[in-house]
Amino acid sequence: MTMTQNHPVVAGPSPSRPAKDRRWLTLCVLALTQLVVVLDGTIVNIALPQAQAELALTDGQRQWVVTAYALAFGALLLLGGRIADYWGRKRTYLVGMIGFGIASAFGGIAQNGIELIIARGLQGAFAAMLAPAALALLTVTFPHGKDRNTAFAVFGVIAGAGAAVGMLLGGVLTEFADWRWCLLVNVIFVIVGFIGGVLLVRESKAGGENTYDIWGAVTVTLGLGALVYGFSLAETGWATLGTIGFLSLGVVLLALFVWLETRVAQPLLPLRVVLDRVRGGAFLIQAIVGTVMIGATLYLALHLQIVLGMSPLQAGLGSLPMTLAIMATAPVATRMLRIIGPRPLMITGPIIAAAGLLYLAALTADGNYFVQILPALLVLGVGMACIFVPVQNLALSGVEPHDAGAASATANASMQIGGSIGLSVFTALYVSASESSLSADPGAQLEALTAGYSVVFFAAAVVMVVAAVVALVFIRGSKEELAPTEGAAAVHLG
């Protein structure tokens, strides 16, 4: 893409206009991809009560229907990013699309809990090819300038709204069709995305001699898997042998992974990608946001249906205000990004979101949706929009083209692994709080559930405050350095 595409034309048709139009059509296809992989993290949330009843899922299996997707997605993203870089981003994107569609169809016809969990894991594995390829393609399609900021703002808002859109779509499909359509609907998205990818997306890949870091892939995948599984065991106790053992194994394997990455010529994750202060801070913030958008939204769906007695459609509509707030705030945040730069948004956004979550933590079993839930979702949506608009751009700013896939994978992996760990930790907190409440008053079951949900939302508020602190410490530099103008490169000071 040349600089001439952004030069104004005084008269006559511009030869660069078709190429520029093609870029925005490409953005539409890649944004659809991002929507699919993000909403699939939550689309089954609304459907889980029906799926649990039909397939006789245990509560543990219910959690793993969500966790299997996020874990496979996050653990394999780095490998998927390198496959995209070396094998070809368009090729990886198309193969990921096909595999995602097949896995979704398998999940839609699952006959028991094990099959459903396997299907969700396969969805996550193919999403791990699809997502970094799409984000890397966006990076090379919009390499700099105002158009890049706009494209990444669109992409970031869709990533943020996707979780809430998933809950709404899940409610509609569960109410009017069947919970299975929460998986089968992906086949339609896949067909549209595949055709658009074939017609509009141009191939790109890293140049030079490329080899795969097999041992890096093995250690990071097993390490992340052990870490998330260890957190999932914490609901039975933090001091148990299984919890301590798997958490320790995860830490050791991830430490080994970091050591290996300093020793190989073609690392799975070049440490220069994450050691940059601004990018590293953006990755951390995405992980924290993932705990809320993936972990906490599950308990919102359960509260709306189990405690407030909403139907799947009503619960889906009940989550919609957060999406509307994100969409309404995004254009304002995009304009503010150009005026004040990303740092103020990255600091204030988490604080606003934390305020919404604190309000949500005050819910009661006999509370009214319009009083206790709606205001919180609106505030939460405003805060999230302030984060989503700049965070994807910051996570990929200044990345060398050769590392685009790895950086894109890290950005996605941060959110998914954060969501997996967040869901596991929130589940442990929920179980502890609800059991304590129930033991105090065995007849107050709905109150016990609400006590658990309240603790989850309070914990989510705390981690959002941590995100604000991370932004304050790591996202440093002038507006021009953090959001470069046309033709300029990001200059990071870390």
Side-chain angles (χ1 to χ4, degrees):
M1 198 62 62
T2 62
M3 288 291 294
T4 57
Q5 292 174 331
N6 293 305
H7 287 169
V9 178
V10 177
S14 169
S16 68
R17 183 62 182 232
K20 200 165 186 179
D21 290 343
R22 180 191 180 105
R23 288 194 305 160
W24 297 111
L25 290 173
T26 301
L27 172 62
C28 292
V29 173
L30 298 178
L32 173 66
T33 303
Q34 181 72 354
L35 177 63
V36 171
V37 298
V38 173
L39 71 81
D40 254 77
T42 58
I43 193 172
V44 299
N45 286 2
I46 298 292
L48 274 177
Q50 284 195 14
Q52 183 173 16
E54 182 175 328
L55 301 181
L57 302 178
T58 66
D59 286 345
Q61 288 177 322
R62 182 185 68 182
Q63 175 192 330
W64 273 95
V65 172
V66 179
T67 301
Y69 178 81
L71 175 57
F73 191 6
L76 295 172
L77 267 165
L78 289 174
L79 179 59
R82 270 318 189 205
I83 291 173
D85 280 339
Y86 296 167
W87 193 44
R89 290 153 188 153
K90 177 177 180 177
R91 186 182 299 173
T92 305
Y93 171 88
L94 295 177
V95 171
M97 267 290 184
I98 294 172
F100 191 84
I102 294 172
S104 298
F106 174 51
I109 61 174
Q111 298 302 304
N112 55 60
I114 299 300
E115 289 181 3
L116 181 58
I117 292 171
I118 291 173
R120 292 285 288 166
L122 289 173
Q123 277 186 307
F126 283 106
M129 297 178 66
L130 190 58
L135 195 51
L137 287 166
L138 186 72
T139 302
V140 298
T141 302
F142 296 91
H144 42 59
K146 179 180 177 181
D147 286 350
R148 176 187 171 96
N149 289 338
T150 301
F152 272 89
V154 170
F155 209 73
V157 168
I158 288 175
V165 170
M167 292 178 67
L168 174 61
L169 184 57
V172 172
L173 292 172
T174 304
E175 181 83 11
F176 294 110
D178 186 82
W179 69 266
R180 296 179 181 277
W181 276 99
C182 294
L183 295 163
L184 295 174
V185 71
N186 288 321
V187 177
I188 300 172
F189 291 135
V190 163
I191 292 172
V192 174
F194 183 85
I195 293 173
V198 169
L199 296 179
L200 295 171
V201 176
R202 292 177 175 173
E203 184 62 280
S204 71
K205 59 182 178 180
E209 293 290 330
N210 298 311
T211 57
Y212 289 103
D213 175 15
I214 301 300
W215 284 111
V218 170
T219 52
V220 73
T221 301
L222 294 178
L224 290 173
L227 200 63
V228 172
Y229 186 66
F231 278 114
S232 75
L233 295 176
E235 66 178 88
T236 61
W238 290 97
T240 63
L241 181 61
T243 302
I244 296 173
F246 275 101
L247 289 177
S248 301
L249 177 62
V251 171
V252 169
L253 286 172
L254 291 177
L256 178 59
F257 166 71
V258 172
W259 180 81
L260 288 171
E261 298 309 273
T262 66
R263 297 294 189 272
V264 296
Q266 299 281 347
L268 185 68
L269 175 60
L271 295 184
R272 58 182 174 271
V273 171
V274 295
L275 291 181
D276 176 275
R277 185 174 66 194
V278 173
R279 283 199 299 272
F283 293 145
L284 284 173
I285 291 170
Q286 284 187 302
I288 293 170
V289 169
T291 67
V292 176
M293 297 306 293
I294 296 174
T297 54
L298 171 63
Y299 289 96
L300 173 62
L302 295 177
H303 179 75
L304 293 178
Q305 291 187 82
I306 298 175
V307 177
L308 297 187
M310 291 185 175
S311 69
L313 176 59
Q314 289 172 331
L317 290 173
S319 68
L320 183 60
M322 181 169 66
T323 304
L324 296 178
I326 290 173
M327 301 299 289
T329 306
V332 178
T334 302
R335 287 193 294 271
M336 293 300 294
L337 177 64
R338 297 171 187 148
I339 297 171
I340 63 176
R343 188 169 188 259
L345 293 174
M346 296 291 287
I347 295 172
T348 58
I351 294 175
I352 295 171
L357 288 163
L358 281 176
Y359 187 95
L360 196 59
L363 52 79
T364 59
D366 58 352
N368 182 278
Y369 167 83
F370 294 98
V371 174
Q372 293 191 343
I373 309 296
L374 178 59
L377 293 182
L378 293 174
V379 174
L380 179 59
V382 171
M384 287 298 182
C386 293
I387 302 171
F388 293 136
V389 166
V391 72
Q392 293 269 22
N393 202 347
L394 288 178
L396 296 174
S397 183
V399 173
E400 296 293 332
H402 190 273
D403 295 330
S408 303
T410 306
N412 278 290
S414 300
M415 194 165 193
Q416 296 299 323
I417 293 301
S420 298
I421 293 175
L423 179 56
S424 299
V425 173
F426 291 158
T427 298
L429 294 174
Y430 158 77
V431 170
S432 176
S434 59
E435 287 182 350
S436 176
S437 176
L438 193 61
S439 64
D441 187 357
Q445 293 188 355
L446 292 182
E447 287 75 7
L449 293 175
T450 304
Y453 303 150
S454 179
V455 168
V456 167
F457 297 134
F458 180 81
V462 171
V463 299
M464 290 309 300
V465 173
V466 172
V469 174
V470 171
L472 184 67
V473 173
F474 287 88
I475 312 299
R476 303 182 68 87
S478 68
K479 179 183 72 173
E480 290 72 24
E481 290 168 336
L482 295 174
T485 56
E486 187 70 42
V491 180
H492 291 172
L493 307 176

